[in-house]
């Protein structure tokens, strides 16, 4: 599970503090957003910021023939 930090905690996490273990807590879901993204995110052929934009019908990757 990835760690999500509040911006206000970044300095502590990246700083010289020996054990900022109290930052290992659940991030409040009220502060999160969710949206569908394109299936292009699964392919290294599409390596640009647009893969994180909300998915629409025209963002689907072209189908490839399997060899």
């Amino acid at each position: 599970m990835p760690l999500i930090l509040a911006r206000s905690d970044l300095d502590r996490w990246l700083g010289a503090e020996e054990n900022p273990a109290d930052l290992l807590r659940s991030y409040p879901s009220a502060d999160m957003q969710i949206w569908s993204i394109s299936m292009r995110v699964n392919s290294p052929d599409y390596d640009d910021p647009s893969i994180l934009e909300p998915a629409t019908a025209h963002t689907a990757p072209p189908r490839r023939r399997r060899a």
Side-chain angles (χ1 to χ4, degrees), residues 1-61:
M1 178 67 127
L3 174 65
I4 302 174
L5 293 171
R7 288 191 189 277
S8 59
D9 293 330
L10 290 177
D11 286 338
R12 279 191 59 213
W13 184 255
L14 297 173
E17 186 173 334
E18 187 174 319
N19 187 12
D22 63 300
L23 297 177
L24 300 174
R25 61 183 180 270
S26 296
Y27 193 80
S29 61
D31 294 343
M32 296 184 199
Q33 294 181 351
I34 186 171
W35 61 90
S36 297
I37 59 174
S38 169
M39 292 296 291
R40 294 180 308 138
V41 74
N42 296 321
S43 172
D45 293 340
Y46 304 98
D47 187 18
D48 63 83
S50 71
I51 62 172
L52 299 178
E53 294 174 0
T56 62
H58 71 276
T59 59

